[in-house]
């Protein structure tokens, strides 16, 4: 079985400076990093983004780390609304703030040589019917997909529990709604598959393979959306790792533990050992 290319998400290392986090991951032996654009790690709204991105690209190259860009920062756009504003908000100006952030993320990703940009739909606002929400999502993603096409960096949409686009079925609905554009890909979170998909996580990997552009991985329990360290949930990982190898997926498989930053360095080391050992409990 070919070894997956493993990364660790900076949203699980928020107590570390970005350069310290990158150095840690390189020293541990990770192949790359899932970089969440946030105020503590390459702030996408602070001045001098282009220069900071160039310096980061050089540092990643020096450390031998590949990268994917993630856009799930909780309060980067609004200090009072978690993940707000979203692509589904009723106010066009609010939707545009998220669109602008995603386009900026695509351009940062291109400058870093990232293999994908991750995003998600957001929660359907109260009083918004489902058809309206899907149309807002499709319309909002149009300019982001244009930027992805222009830069050659795919946009990898993540099914997120509780969001409008929550499942693989939702991803396929969006894909058909948009006319199956080439830059549109999928972020598959293995824990989310365990949480709510009808298929097993390994079968989800196989079903998603043609559109797979980014993978996140952690443990989880059925019906409970809580990202857990490996061994604390219910996932059978060897079949998942075999399925990823069988599909020929070449991107990063990024450990996603955003609520465990207090123990980030230790968990980064433990997670790498677990996955390198084939995911055996």
């Amino acid at each position: 079985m070919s070894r997956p290319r493993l990364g660790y998400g900076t949203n699980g290392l928020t107590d570390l400076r970005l350069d310290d986090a990158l150095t840690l991951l390189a020293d541990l032996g990770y192949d790359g990093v899932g970089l969440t654009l946030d105020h503590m790690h390459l702030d996408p709204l602070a001045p001098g983004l282009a220069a900071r991105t160039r310096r980061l690209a050089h540092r990643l190259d020096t450390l031998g780390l590949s990268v994917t860009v993630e856009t799930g920062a909780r309060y980067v756009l609004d200090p009072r609304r978690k993940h707000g504003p979203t692509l589904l908000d009723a106010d066009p100006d609010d939707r545009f703030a998220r669109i602008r952030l995603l386009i900026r993320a695509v351009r940062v990703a291109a400058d870093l040589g990232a293999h994908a940009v991750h995003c998600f739909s957001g929660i359907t606002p109260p009083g918004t019917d489902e058809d309206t929400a899907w149309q807002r999502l499709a319309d909002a993603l149009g300019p982001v997909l244009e930027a992805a096409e222009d830069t050659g960096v795919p946009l990898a949409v993540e099914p997120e529990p509780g969001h409008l686009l929550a499942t693989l079925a939702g991803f396929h609905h969006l894909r058909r709604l948009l006319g199956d554009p080439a830059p549109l890909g999928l972020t598959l979170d293995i824990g989310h598959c365990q949480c709510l998909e009808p298929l097993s996580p390994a079968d989800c990997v196989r079903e998603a393979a043609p559109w797979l552009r980014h993978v996140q991985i952690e443990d989880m329990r059925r019906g409970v959306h809580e990202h857990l360290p490996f061994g604390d949930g219910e996932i059978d990982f060897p079949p998942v790792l075999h399925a990823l190898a069988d599909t020929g997926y070449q991107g990063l498989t990024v450990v996603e533990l955003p609520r465990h930053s207090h123990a980030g360095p230790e968990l980064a080391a433990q997670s790498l050992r677990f996955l390198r050992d084939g995911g055996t409990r």
Side-chain angles (χ1 to χ4, degrees), residues 51-264:
R52 289 183 287 118
T53 301
R54 285 194 296 271
R55 290 194 294 271
L56 177 57
H58 177 73
R59 185 61 177 152
L60 289 167
D61 184 63
T62 299
L63 293 171
L65 293 173
S66 57
V67 62
T68 188
V69 171
E70 306 201 6
T71 62
R74 293 184 179 94
Y75 295 100
V76 69
L77 288 177
D78 188 329
R80 294 172 177 81
R81 285 197 294 161
K82 181 181 176 181
H83 297 314
T86 79
L87 299 173
L88 306 179
D89 283 7
D91 187 332
D93 290 339
D94 284 349
R95 296 199 299 276
F96 183 68
R98 177 62 60 174
I99 293 166
R100 186 170 50 207
L101 175 67
L102 293 179
I103 292 173
R104 188 168 298 180
V106 169
R107 291 172 179 160
V108 166
D111 290 342
L112 293 178
H115 69 81
V117 172
H118 147 280
C119 72
F120 44 55
S121 69
I123 297 169
T124 304
T128 303
D129 67 84
E130 191 168 291
D131 288 345
T132 298
W134 281 110
Q135 194 57 56
R136 280 181 191 164
L137 178 61
D139 291 345
L141 286 177
V144 185
L145 289 165
E146 287 179 8
E149 179 78 40
D150 290 343
T151 59
V153 179
L155 184 69
V157 179
E158 179 188 8
E160 181 78 19
H163 285 210
L164 172 69
L165 199 163
T167 63
L168 286 171
F171 169 75
H172 291 305
H173 178 71
L174 174 67
R175 186 171 60 83
R176 289 189 293 269
L177 197 61
L178 287 166
D180 204 15
L184 179 67
L186 174 71
T187 293
L188 189 70
D189 187 301
I190 302 302
H192 295 173
C193 297
Q194 176 70 20
C195 180
L196 50 68
E197 293 284 357
L199 298 174
S200 71
D203 286 340
C204 285
V205 170
R206 295 187 180 91
E207 194 276 336
W211 303 276
L212 203 55
R213 302 294 178 266
H214 181 41
V215 174
Q216 298 169 346
I217 193 166
E218 70 284 317
D219 219 338
M220 202 169 287
R221 301 185 183 98
R222 184 69 179 172
V224 182
H225 184 203
E226 181 182 5
H227 291 234
L228 299 172
F230 298 111
D232 288 359
E234 302 170 341
I235 297 176
D236 184 13
F237 282 99
V240 173
L241 297 176
H242 278 92
L244 284 169
D246 290 346
T247 66
Y249 170 69
Q250 295 296 309
L252 288 174
T253 297
V254 173
V255 179
E256 187 83 357
L257 292 172
R259 297 185 181 180
H260 292 78
S261 187
H262 62 283

